[in-house]
């Protein structure tokens, strides 16, 4: 039972990260490596604020804004500086390493003695006795659900529609007299805001900020997006955002199971193989569609 | 008929139970399970783990006999560290052992709510890591050993070895909290021995050649911390330093073996043993982890490599060579494990 709860906890936290990666990778068609820096950015902001005594719930919007700012920087480098998409992400990711160290003050900030969004007097007063052991998963579930619903709402708005058009058909955006560069920047801001929010939650769940925690974040995000969108492709009633979050849970379940039977040293290779398999399966389907047409 | 069968079964069951009871007394009762999480693949940390198992064995808790070990390496990945610790908690191990700061923290995070005691080792600054309070007492069911460097002894040793030297260079990784606190200590104490400290920070292994080139031009000698990234690339640094005839001091025995001039260092096997004995106390229920303050290794040992001294043309002072715990007469080829 604990085993499944752990998977769900991790899966939902990284699900928020995956939503961010979904926006850049699937909607904007932008391979955004800023993710590896904006995930720990959310964590460093959170650690710095909580250790200075800020209410843990207020760190959520602050981390979101910090991530959005990082996304805007990547966007400006790409759109205004005309730097290639991959390179703009790499530049921001590199810069964020130092920025994160500076914000947190040091490379490792523990939060064991501090109140977090999972452990505080308010929550303990709110929840009935029996539910207390499940407070972590309940809070994560709530946060992920709210994030998803807000994102769904945004996607169905006019601005969300334009955002989706940037990746698919940028001429349409121009035809509608909107600047597609600005739409890209907006998309990157939302995406990195979400990634940073995930970092904020992860840092409070682990009760520690560690500078290296962003390493590989983009890979986890991409794998979740691809698993989610290709596995649930035929379930047309399911929203892509739901599929992506479920993809993240499946990914975390796979790693948790793999961890039991393989050495953790081999995990990166297993991740790579898993990633490749899912990619091949989803590509195969695309081909079939084309030949039918 | 039926009754007698029941009686027989009962009798057999009772016999088995009493036999099992006797066997239990024989094997010193309970079976233990320990989840060991090591943060990265690293010679010193491997030694810690080896010593930890030896320390437990000294107290009669032996792997394969009455101890099951679940060993996992986090491959320097914080997310992985959290997941490993969570899986230990889900498996309800009797004790978790976290080797190096991030692993100790993630074990504590997972164990805190599950009520599992945690023993850590190779944590340089348990207070800064919030694994102990300001007075050094446990913050919960967690205790262990610290591998804080004997900075003062090291400076004293360097002064005796090189009476003329003025500047000591240190390369460190900006992402390692352990290194940062060690450097602060070096900077605070260097003045007492008439040294100046010159540091250069790196972010990854790839930065080492350039960083070494820069710093070697400015210093009279170098000293190492227990910095994971730097220690892993020590061979590169040693080669460049040798070209310039600049002595490099180490922080533990393994580094002296592969070509550092000398070290007032820790014996990580010894540190691990000390940790293992603490774990045994907790497992046997003699003391709770929250009742044992964390420990540091009492005495640093001096290691000297006379072959390196000869290559550098340095005469090792009599005081030092007689005080050395071990003197190596050859340089072991560096092999990545």
């Amino acid at each position: 039972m604990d085993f499944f709860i752990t998977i769900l906890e991790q899966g939902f936290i990284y699900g928020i990260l995956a939503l961010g990666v979904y926006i850049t990778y699937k909607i904007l068609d932008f391979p955004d490596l800023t993710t590896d820096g904006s995930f720990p950015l959310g964590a460093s902001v959170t650690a710095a604020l909580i250790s200075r005594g800020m209410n843990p719930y207020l760190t959520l919007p602050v981390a979101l804004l910090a991530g959005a700012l990082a996304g805007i920087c990547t966007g400006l480098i790409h759109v205004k500086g005309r730097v290639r998409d991959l390179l703009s992400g790499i530049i921001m990711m590199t810069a964020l390493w130092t920025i994160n160290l500076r914000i947190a003050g040091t490379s490792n900030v523990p939060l064991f003695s501090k109140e977090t969004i999972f452990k505080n007097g308010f929550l303990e007063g709110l929840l009935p006795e029996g539910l207390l052991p499940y407070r972590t998963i309940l809070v994560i579930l709530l946060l992920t659900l709210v994030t998803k619903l807000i994102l769904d709402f945004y996607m169905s708005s006019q601005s969300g529609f334009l955002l989706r058009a940037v990746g698919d058909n940028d001429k349409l955006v121009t035809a509608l007299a909107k600047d597609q560069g600005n739409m890209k920047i907006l998309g990157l801001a939302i995406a990195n805001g979400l990634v940073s929010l995930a970092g904020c939650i992860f840092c409070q769940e682990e009760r520690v900020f560690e500078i290296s925690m962003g390493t590989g974040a983009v890979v986890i995000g991409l794998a979740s997006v691809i698993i989610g969108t290709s596995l649930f492709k035929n379930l047309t009633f399911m929203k892509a955002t739901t599929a992506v979050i479920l993809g993240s849970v499946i990914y975390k379940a796979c790693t948790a199971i793999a961890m039991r039977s393989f050495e953790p040293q081999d995990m990166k290779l297993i991740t790579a193989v898993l990633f490749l398999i899912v990619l091949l399966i989803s590509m195969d389907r695309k081909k079939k569609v084309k030949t039918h047409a | 008929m039926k009754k007698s069968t029941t009686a027989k079964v009962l009798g057999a069951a009772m016999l088995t139970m009493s036999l099992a009871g006797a066997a239990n007394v024989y094997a010193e009762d309970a079976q233990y399970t320990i989840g060991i999480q090591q943060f990265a693949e690293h010679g010193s940390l491997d030694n810690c783990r080896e010593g930890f198992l030896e320390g437990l064995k000294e107290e009669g808790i032996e792997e394969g006999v009455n101890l099951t070990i679940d060993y996992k390496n986090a491959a320097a990945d914080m997310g992985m560290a959290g997941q490993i610790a969570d899986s230990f908690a889900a498996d309800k191990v009797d004790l978790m052992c976290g080797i190096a700061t991030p692993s100790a923290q993630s074990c504590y995070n997972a164990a805190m709510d599950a009520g599992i005691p945690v023993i850590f080792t190779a944590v340089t600054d348990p207070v800064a890591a919030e694994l102990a309070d300001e007075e050094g007492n446990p913050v919960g069911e967690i205790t262990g050993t610290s591998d804080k460097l004997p900075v003062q002894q090291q400076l004293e040793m360097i002064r005796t070895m090189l009476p003329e030297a003025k500047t000591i260079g240190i390369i460190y990784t900006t992402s390692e909290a352990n290194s940062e606190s060690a450097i602060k200590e070096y900077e605070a104490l260097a003045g007492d021995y008439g040294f100046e400290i010159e540091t250069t920070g790196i972010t990854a292994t790839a930065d080492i050649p350039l960083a070494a080139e820069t710093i070697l031009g400015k210093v009279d000698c170098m000293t190492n911390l227990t910095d994971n990234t730097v220690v892993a690339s020590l061979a590169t640094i040693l080669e460049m330093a040798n070209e310039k005839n600049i002595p490099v001091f180490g922080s533990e025995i393994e580094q002296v073996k592969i070509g550092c001039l000398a070290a007032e260092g820790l014996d990580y096997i010894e540190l691990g043993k000390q940790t293992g004995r603490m774990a045994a106390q907790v497992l046997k229920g003699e003391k709770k982890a929250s009742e044992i303050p964390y420990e540091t290794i009492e005495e640093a040992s001096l290691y000297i490599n006379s072959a390196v001294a000869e290559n550098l043309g340095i005469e090792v002072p009599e005081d030092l060579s007689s005080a050395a715990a071990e003197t190596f007469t050859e340089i072991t080829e560096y092999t990545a494990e």
Side-chain angles (χ1 to χ4, degrees), chain A residues 199-272:
Chain A
C200 165
I201 300 171
F202 182 72
C203 161
Q204 301 194 49
E205 194 257 337
E206 291 290 323
R207 279 180 279 209
V208 65
F209 160 76
E210 166 74 36
I211 185 76
S212 63
M213 68 204 281
T215 318
V218 72
V219 179
I220 299 178
L222 277 178
S224 306
V225 169
I226 291 165
I227 292 173
T229 48
S230 46
L231 278 185
F232 303 113
K233 199 182 248 170
N234 297 332
L235 299 180
T236 40
F237 61 86
M238 191 187 275
K239 281 216 167 71
T241 47
T242 317
V244 164
I245 293 170
L246 289 181
S248 163
V249 173
I250 293 169
Y251 175 83
K252 280 287 164 185
C254 288
T255 52
I257 293 163
M259 214 168 66
R260 302 212 146 219
S261 28
F262 297 95
E263 288 296 309
Q265 291 92 317
D266 305 330
M267 288 302 295
K268 296 265 177 196
L269 180 64
I270 293 164
T271 312

Side-chain angles (χ1 to χ4, degrees), chain B residues 232-255:
Chain B
S233 301
L234 190 54
T236 317
I237 299 170
L238 282 169
E239 202 179 299
M240 295 172 74
N242 283 342
E243 267 172 36
K244 294 189 156 63
N245 216 35
I246 291 176
V248 179
F249 293 91
S251 59
E252 45 115 20
I253 180 166
E254 301 293 328
Q255 298 171 14

Side-chain angles (χ1 to χ4, degrees), chain A residues 25-196:
Chain A
Y25 176 72
K26 277 278 174 184
I27 297 186
L28 293 182
D29 198 15
F30 188 111
D32 182 23
L33 293 182
T34 320
T35 308
D36 271 20
S38 46
F39 185 69
L41 172 66
S44 68
V45 168
T46 307
L49 292 176
I50 288 186
S51 52
R52 280 172 186 73
M54 195 188 209
N55 183 315
Y57 292 100
L58 289 179
T59 61
L60 295 167
V62 179
L64 188 80
L65 282 178
L69 217 58
I72 290 173
C73 290
T74 309
L76 287 175
I77 294 170
H78 172 61
V79 176
K80 305 290 178 203
R82 292 175 195 279
V83 178
R84 282 184 58 182
D85 46 10
L86 200 62
L87 285 175
S88 341
I90 292 175
I91 289 170
M92 264 323 277
M93 175 184 81
T94 313
L96 280 171
W97 178 277
T98 303
I99 294 170
N100 292 338
L101 267 178
R102 287 288 177 198
I103 292 175
T106 155
S107 57
N108 181 298
V109 183
L111 300 172
F112 293 120
S113 56
K114 309 289 187 307
E115 290 205 328
T116 65
I117 51 171
F118 304 109
K119 202 169 191 175
N120 56 63
F122 170 70
L123 196 64
E124 267 147 41
L126 196 71
L127 284 175
E129 193 75 23
L131 281 178
L132 273 182
Y134 303 107
R135 62 182 167 211
T136 309
I137 182 69
L138 288 176
V139 173
I140 292 173
L141 198 63
L142 184 73
L143 286 173
T144 311
L145 207 65
V146 169
T147 311
K148 180 201 125 61
L149 290 177
I150 294 176
L151 190 63
D152 283 344
F153 176 74
Y154 170 73
M155 281 301 175
S156 59
S157 72
Q158 198 195 2
S159 171
F161 172 74
L162 279 170
L163 190 69
R164 279 187 282 169
V166 175
D168 291 340
N169 182 354
D170 47 15
K171 295 209 174 56
L172 178 70
V173 182
T174 321
L176 288 170
K178 299 281 175 192
D179 182 34
Q180 58 147 317
N182 284 344
M183 286 314 290
K184 259 192 187 168
I185 296 176
L186 177 67
L188 282 164
I190 297 172
N192 283 293
L194 289 171
V195 172
S196 173

Side-chain angles (χ1 to χ4, degrees), chain B residues 190-221:
Chain B
D192 300 350
Y193 296 90
F195 284 120
E196 265 175 56
I197 302 289
E198 182 82 41
T199 61
T200 180
I202 56 161
T203 53
T205 312
D207 301 341
I208 284 183
L210 209 59
E213 189 63 47
T214 320
I215 200 164
L216 283 169
K218 294 193 270 190
V219 300
D220 302 313
C221 67

Side-chain angles (χ1 to χ4, degrees), chain B residues 15-333:
Chain B
L15 188 70
T16 325
M17 271 165 76
S18 59
L19 273 177
N24 263 347
V25 173
Y26 212 67
E28 283 205 315
D29 51 64
Q31 285 285 330
Y32 303 108
T33 313
I34 299 183
I36 302 182
Q37 186 197 147
Q38 184 176 319
F39 192 59
E41 202 68 40
H42 183 307
S44 314
L45 302 183
D46 290 341
N47 284 349
C48 272
R49 195 178 75 242
E50 208 177 295
F52 179 72
L53 295 178
E54 277 177 40
L56 281 166
K57 200 172 156 187
E58 281 173 20
E59 299 293 322
I61 300 177
E62 193 178 350
E63 191 182 359
V65 180
N66 54 352
L67 174 65
T68 316
I69 292 286
D70 188 1
Y71 164 61
K72 294 267 189 274
N73 189 310
D77 180 339
M78 200 58 203
M80 187 66 76
Q83 243 180 315
I84 292 171
D86 284 339
S87 77
F88 286 163
D91 289 345
K92 303 202 165 43
V93 295
D94 297 312
L95 184 134
M96 290 190 208
C97 171
I99 305 178
T101 309
S103 284
Q105 286 170 325
S106 59
C107 281
Y108 181 46
N109 184 45
M112 209 192 268
D113 298 326
I116 298 170
V118 178
I119 300 280
F120 59 79
T121 181
V123 173
T124 300
D125 194 343
V127 176
E130 285 191 12
L131 301 174
D133 66 14
E134 300 288 335
E135 280 88 46
N137 293 316
V139 285
E141 288 306 321
I142 177 161
T143 187
T145 53
S146 154
D147 64 345
K148 192 169 160 315
L149 285 171
V151 173
Q152 199 159 353
Q153 283 107 308
Q154 176 92 350
L155 285 167
E156 208 176 311
M157 181 268 290
I158 299 178
R159 184 41 86 212
T160 325
M161 188 83 87
L162 309 169
E164 308 278 301
K166 287 190 189 72
T167 7
I168 305 178
I170 303 176
I171 305 178
Y172 72 104
T173 315
T174 48
S175 60
E176 291 189 30
N178 285 352
S179 305
E180 261 176 71
S181 61
I183 281 184
K184 267 186 210 142
E185 190 154 5
Y186 263 108
E187 280 171 346
L189 292 171
D192 300 350
Y193 296 90
F195 284 120
E196 265 175 56
I197 302 289
E198 182 82 41
T199 61
T200 180
I202 56 161
T203 53
T205 312
D207 301 341
I208 284 183
L210 209 59
E213 189 63 47
T214 320
I215 200 164
L216 283 169
K218 294 193 270 190
V219 300
D220 302 313
C221 67
M222 299 276 298
T223 190
N224 269 329
L225 311 174
T226 46
D227 193 290
N228 294 316
T229 316
V230 174
V231 172
S233 301
L234 190 54
T236 317
I237 299 170
L238 282 169
E239 202 179 299
M240 295 172 74
N242 283 342
E243 267 172 36
K244 294 189 156 63
N245 216 35
I246 291 176
V248 179
F249 293 91
S251 59
E252 45 115 20
I253 180 166
E254 301 293 328
Q255 298 171 14
V256 180
K257 273 190 205 161
I258 66 165
C260 285
L261 175 57
E264 279 284 1
L266 300 176
D267 182 341
Y268 276 89
I269 300 237
E270 224 19 81
L271 188 75
K273 276 189 191 167
Q274 202 172 329
T275 320
R277 287 192 290 266
M278 293 167 87
Q281 278 189 318
V282 174
L283 280 177
K284 288 178 182 170
E286 289 166 9
K287 265 186 184 171
K288 282 187 154 188
S290 52
E291 294 163 0
I292 316 174
Y294 80 88
E295 297 173 3
T296 45
I297 205 149
E298 286 86 24
E299 211 66 16
S301 332
L302 174 62
Y303 305 101
I304 298 176
N305 194 320
S306 59
V308 177
E310 208 170 294
N311 288 348
L312 292 165
I314 291 173
E315 186 99 21
V316 179
E318 184 62 34
D319 303 355
L320 288 180
S321 53
S322 59
E326 204 167 344
T327 304
F328 300 96
T329 51
E330 57 177 350
I331 302 168
T332 320
E333 191 79 14

